Amino acid sequence: MNRFMTRPSIALSRRTFLKGAGAALALPWLEAMLPQRLAAASTNPHPIRLAALFMPNGVREDQWTPTGQGSEFELSPTLKPLEAFKNDILIPTNLWNKGSDYGDGHYVKTSGFLTCTTINKSLGYDLNSNGISMDQIAARSIAQKTPLPSLELAIDPVTIGVDTNVGYTRVYGSHIAWNKPTRPLAREINPRLVFERLFRINNPISTNNISDSLLLDRVLADAKQLRRRVGTSDKARIDDYLESVRALERRIEQTSQSEGQPWSPRGEIRPESKPERRPDEHPERVRLMLDMIALAFQTDSTRVCTFMFGNAVSNTNFSFLEGVNGGHHSLSHHERKEENLKQYQRIGQWHIEQYAYLLNKLKSFKEGESTVLDNSMILFGSGLRDGNKHSPHNLPLVLGGRAGGRINTGQHLAYDKDTPLSNLYCCILDAFGAPVDRFADSTGRLKGILS
């Protein structure tokens, strides 16, 4: 028997509800909901999910790389929180992002992280990534299968102004997801609002007291006020930016209003689980956002997500960690001082601990004989290796999940120096079911990753 599937004893509609006492409760996905002809033909009936988690400021490089290669490897101190997931992860080393090896600082490394392109050097009037991000290629391939084509999440609000040290608009440092070269996708930074959006699309006829207002409606007044203060070209850019938000909201409205949509949630979203507020403490905000990713994937509200732990040059104070006393960006410029390096390493390890938290959550969600993690690809990485060098060589990367058996996990794979990062993205898109002949500067698929 295939490890991903057992034979259903009955056939159920995916729109089956449990009804009673005036309530209708959506069932989680069951194998009995899979059409018999598809069950017979498919080796993995479950949807493949993709998330990209971005960490700013790089890592302490001498504490990152595992020892050993292939399946015979030992995790480094920074990666040690992933010990329980050694068989679920793949660690590729010696990959670099050639497109971001341009200009100074962090901005090129951030906005180009998922595009593998060189962004325009801009003060804000000609924003251009010169490419579409890998996550959006995946999202386009399954756009009609879920209410949300993709979900973009972050912790920090969009940073504005110009970093005069390097001559780039700070807006570049706030985005990794681009659905057009000139259009970065709007991100949600409040976990409560993310929950409300997910609840709304999973409960289109609900009469609960969760606000039904759309994200764009909430910010429209501020947007109109801003438009009055900027020039004609900026007005057009604001309109273009807000349209990317409205496009997602239209999808939600269409799903809510249409009787004939084949989509139905794979699990229940309980209103009492809604976060009470946007927490003040950074660790709690991060955990809630990771919970939202897990909830979105579990319910199949979306299959593509990006999350930014912080914007470029993020100087979040990590004094909540024992032995750390300072901001992330400041400590990343460690000047090779051991006192700073220890704190820098601890911050990197904390981020890996949060990554492990998400992997564990996804692994706890069962799908037949597999789990949501088994049917996902969760990429963790930074756009530069060491914050003190600003180098895009040998990027710190981890890929978690097997993509339904399409990814060979449980390995540390060391490639030739300066192998294109885009080659990894070609593998990810293949495993997702959205193959491309070439992505950015790719030269082929990485060996050893795809089954």
Side-chain angles (χ1 to χ4, degrees):
M1 182 74 69
N2 188 285
R3 68 181 295 268
F4 291 108
M5 188 168 61
T6 56
R7 191 182 194 85
S9 56
I10 58 174
L12 294 175
S13 165
R14 292 191 66 198
R15 301 195 65 82
T16 301
F17 288 84
L18 299 178
K19 299 180 180 179
L25 176 64
L27 286 171
W29 183 88
L30 302 173
E31 289 183 3
M33 297 175 181
L34 186 70
Q36 292 296 313
R37 59 180 178 82
L38 182 59
S42 175
T43 58
N44 178 29
H46 310 294
I48 306 302
R49 294 87 161 184
L50 169 63
L53 279 58
F54 173 85
M55 179 187 70
N57 303 322
V59 297
R60 177 173 175 172
E61 55 184 344
D62 65 338
Q63 300 284 299
W64 175 268
T65 305
T67 58
Q69 295 187 32
S71 60
E72 302 296 324
F73 71 99
E74 296 297 327
L75 293 169
S76 64
T78 302
L79 295 173
K80 205 65 178 174
L82 295 173
E83 189 68 44
F85 303 97
K86 277 187 69 175
N87 292 329
D88 300 300
I89 61 174
L90 173 72
I91 304 168
T93 52
N94 291 326
L95 305 187
W96 85 309
N97 191 355
K98 181 179 180 180
S100 67
D101 192 26
Y102 177 85
D104 297 321
H106 298 241
Y107 301 101
V108 182
K109 282 82 174 177
T110 300
S111 271
F113 179 62
L114 293 178
T115 63
C116 295
T117 54
T118 304
I119 62 174
N120 281 7
K121 190 166 188 178
S122 169
L123 301 180
Y125 53 84
D126 59 346
L127 208 66
N128 194 330
S129 69
N130 292 301
I132 298 169
S133 55
M134 174 268 291
D135 61 294
Q136 289 305 298
I137 293 176
R140 288 180 182 183
S141 72
I142 45 91
Q144 303 305 316
K145 295 183 179 180
T146 57
L148 293 174
S150 61
L151 186 63
E152 289 70 44
L153 306 177
I155 295 297
D156 300 329
V158 172
T159 310
I160 59 175
V162 176
D163 189 328
T164 56
N165 292 318
V166 292
Y168 283 90
T169 172
R170 290 187 173 92
V171 173
Y172 274 134
S174 304
H175 297 284
I176 58 173
W178 298 76
N179 69 352
K180 291 182 179 180
T182 57
R183 182 185 286 177
L185 286 166
R187 313 162 314 153
E188 181 57 76
I189 64 171
N190 189 330
R192 180 186 176 99
L193 299 185
V194 179
F195 181 90
E196 290 183 8
R197 293 176 73 191
L198 295 177
F199 189 95
R200 184 172 185 268
I201 62 178
N202 280 265
N203 298 270
I205 58 172
S206 172
T207 57
N208 72 89
N209 60 4
I210 288 182
S211 171
D212 200 41
S213 63
L214 299 180
L215 173 63
L216 187 56
D217 295 335
R218 292 171 177 167
V219 302
L220 208 52
D222 285 344
K224 289 179 178 178
Q225 184 178 15
L226 178 62
R227 288 181 87 261
R228 289 194 291 267
R229 296 164 51 196
V230 299
T232 302
S233 59
D234 279 341
K235 284 184 173 67
R237 291 185 185 90
I238 290 171
D239 291 343
D240 192 49
Y241 187 76
L242 293 177
E243 177 57 29
S244 69
V245 183
R246 180 59 85 193
L248 295 184
E249 301 297 3
R250 287 196 192 104
R251 288 293 306 280
I252 296 175
E253 288 180 312
Q254 291 167 4
T255 301
S256 301
Q257 295 168 3
S258 175
E259 294 290 335
Q261 286 287 342
W263 181 87
S264 62
R266 284 178 167 253
E268 178 189 10
I269 297 182
R270 298 179 180 273
E272 61 269 22
S273 302
K274 177 179 66 174
E276 291 300 317
R277 56 187 174 81
R278 182 174 184 265
D280 296 327
E281 300 298 324
H282 182 72
E284 188 179 356
R285 289 203 305 272
V286 168
R287 283 291 175 95
L288 284 174
M289 281 304 195
L290 297 178
D291 287 343
M292 294 304 105
I293 296 173
L295 185 62
F297 282 0
Q298 182 190 24
T299 57
D300 201 29
S301 300
T302 189
R303 298 176 189 175
V304 178
C305 184
T306 57
F307 172 61
M308 297 182 71
F309 282 100
N311 293 348
V313 200
S314 170
N315 207 32
T316 298
N317 193 314
F318 276 83
S319 297
F320 59 84
L321 294 177
E322 184 177 355
V324 177
N325 183 24
H328 193 187
H329 180 245
S330 298
L331 289 168
S332 75
H333 287 275
H334 45 76
E335 299 177 325
R336 304 196 64 79
K337 295 177 181 177
E338 187 59 29
E339 179 183 354
N340 293 337
L341 283 167
K342 286 181 179 179
Q343 297 179 72
Y344 185 37
Q345 187 276 333
R346 182 64 190 96
I347 293 173
Q349 183 177 322
W350 179 86
H351 282 89
I352 290 296
E353 289 167 359
Q354 311 319 303
Y355 178 61
Y357 170 83
L358 176 60
L359 297 187
N360 187 61
K361 191 130 191 168
L362 296 177
K363 195 168 186 175
S364 72
F365 299 149
K366 301 297 182 183
E367 288 191 317
E369 295 182 18
S370 62
T371 69
V372 172
L373 178 59
D374 287 329
N375 299 311
S376 298
M377 290 176 285
I378 312 298
L379 176 70
F380 174 96
S382 187
L384 44 83
R385 173 75 174 185
D386 172 29
N388 205 51
K389 298 177 182 176
H390 292 165
S391 171
H393 296 262
N394 197 10
L395 293 174
L397 302 162
V398 185
L399 184 64
R402 298 184 175 89
R406 300 171 197 178
I407 298 291
N408 288 318
T409 56
Q411 301 185 89
H412 166 219
L413 297 177
Y415 294 98
D416 292 338
K417 182 181 178 181
D418 290 345
T419 295
L421 171 65
S422 52
N423 288 2
L424 172 65
Y425 292 166
C426 286
C427 292
I428 288 174
L429 289 171
D430 268 9
F432 190 80
V436 292
D437 292 332
R438 185 175 181 182
F439 179 76
D441 64 337
S442 65
T443 58
R445 273 63 174 162
L446 294 179
K447 293 181 180 179
I449 289 185
L450 294 170
S451 297

